[in-house]
Amino acid sequence: MVDYPVTEDPAACDILREVLEEPRNTLGAQLHAWVNPPYFPASPGDSYAGNLPIANEAAKLDALTGRLEQAFGRRPLVYRAGRYGLGPATIKLLAERGYRIDSSMRARYDYTADLGPDFSQIGNAAFRTGNLLELPLTTVFTGAWRRHGGSLFPLTGRLPPVRGVVARAGLLQRVALTPEDMPIEAALEAVEVAAERDDLRLLTFSFHSPSLSPGHTPYVRDSADLAIFWRWWSRMFEQLDRFGYAPASLDEILHAVDNI
């Protein structure tokens, strides 16, 4: 998932071109509205691209799509809105530009308090939306109350201390599959729940690439944090192997869905 500023860095583009030589890798677009031309007068909530007027969102998407094609010689097929900023017009705009997959929905998260979208009732399963396939970012409820997480977790947010209490008591915890600010033990349990209780066949992980180098994100501030980051992945790969998960390319995912 490449955003506009990365395409303006020749060294970054050279690295990504090598990555894209592997046939299983796919170019994706990530639109961060505040660093993606063209620019317009700002309004509250504009960091979520889906809140922009349709013409402005379309103009930014065209600029990013065209720049990626120019830099890498291919059009991106998959999209993620920065800050998960999906809007009412986004899916239609993506389909019109040849995108096949959107991955902007973060299952079980609600950003309305910050003028963003509400995905609290979105589950983890892939689904069709218009002409696109939606691949939500995987978030698993764990704990004794997990079956009712979709309704109970938003209620615990009304009294923040309650959310921490029920998590520590093993009653309910929301676990996103990311090494950024998510303890490995919680993530390992989430994969076990996903595999054995939810029968999830597809898991979607994510992290910000600047976390691969200390000092660029709050998640990896120094070399000690980076060592923890890599240990997180080592243990996670062991867990995925234990439950029979293997990497899937976007072509394989699309082929599987098209044949259902």
Side-chain angles (χ1 to χ4, degrees):
M1 305 288 190
V2 182
D3 72 356
Y4 200 96
V6 172
T7 69
E8 296 184 307
D9 184 331
C13 289
D14 288 342
I15 292 170
L16 290 172
R17 289 188 192 102
E18 287 188 29
V19 171
L20 290 170
E21 288 178 1
E22 163 55 54
R24 289 172 58 84
N25 293 336
T26 302
L27 178 66
Q30 184 158 23
L31 200 164
H32 293 103
W34 58 97
V35 293
N36 195 121
Y39 301 105
F40 307 97
S43 299
D46 278 2
S47 61
Y48 299 98
N51 288 344
L52 296 170
I54 294 176
N56 294 1
E57 184 182 9
K60 287 181 178 290
L61 182 57
D62 284 337
L64 176 58
T65 304
R67 187 70 187 91
L68 288 169
E69 186 173 17
Q70 179 184 3
F72 302 107
R74 66 180 78 182
R75 292 180 69 83
L77 298 178
V78 58
Y79 175 81
R80 178 172 298 156
R83 305 195 71 200
Y84 315 104
L86 201 66
T90 309
I91 296 299
K92 182 175 183 293
L93 293 174
L94 292 171
E96 290 172 348
R97 287 153 180 80
Y99 284 86
R100 300 288 309 281
I101 293 175
D102 177 68
S103 186
S104 301
M105 297 187 185
R106 193 179 194 191
R108 307 306 188 185
Y109 276 75
D110 180 4
Y111 297 99
T112 53
D114 192 39
L115 303 180
D118 180 6
F119 303 127
S120 60
Q121 299 307 307
I122 296 294
N124 292 304
F127 62 92
R128 290 284 186 185
T129 175
N131 293 324
L132 269 70
L133 177 67
E134 179 65 39
L135 296 184
L137 288 164
T138 305
T139 304
V140 178
F141 288 122
T142 61
W145 296 349
R146 55 174 299 278
R147 290 292 182 190
H148 307 287
S151 57
L152 290 179
F153 191 83
L155 294 177
T156 65
R158 297 178 183 177
L159 294 171
V162 173
R163 186 165 284 179
V165 169
V166 298
R168 288 191 295 273
L171 298 174
L172 183 64
Q173 185 174 6
R174 182 184 65 181
V175 182
L177 294 187
T178 174
E180 297 177 334
D181 206 28
M182 186 57 63
I184 184 58
E185 296 299 339
L188 295 177
E189 182 183 3
V191 169
E192 181 177 355
V193 169
E196 294 198 330
R197 303 181 192 177
D198 292 346
D199 193 29
L200 285 179
R201 297 177 59 192
L202 180 67
L203 305 180
T204 306
F205 291 76
S206 71
F207 66 91
H208 297 85
S209 57
S211 290
L212 295 169
S213 178
H216 299 291
T217 71
Y219 314 109
V220 179
R221 295 157 297 182
D222 51 34
S223 58
D225 283 347
L226 184 61
I228 293 171
F229 179 93
W230 285 118
R231 284 198 298 271
W232 193 101
W233 281 111
S234 293
R235 295 189 63 190
M236 178 54 68
F237 288 142
E238 291 174 356
Q239 183 79 327
L240 293 172
D241 186 61
R242 184 176 300 116
F243 287 99
Y245 287 105
S249 71
L250 292 182
D251 284 343
E252 290 168 340
I253 293 169
L254 286 168
H255 178 76
V257 171
D258 289 341
N259 285 278
I260 292 176

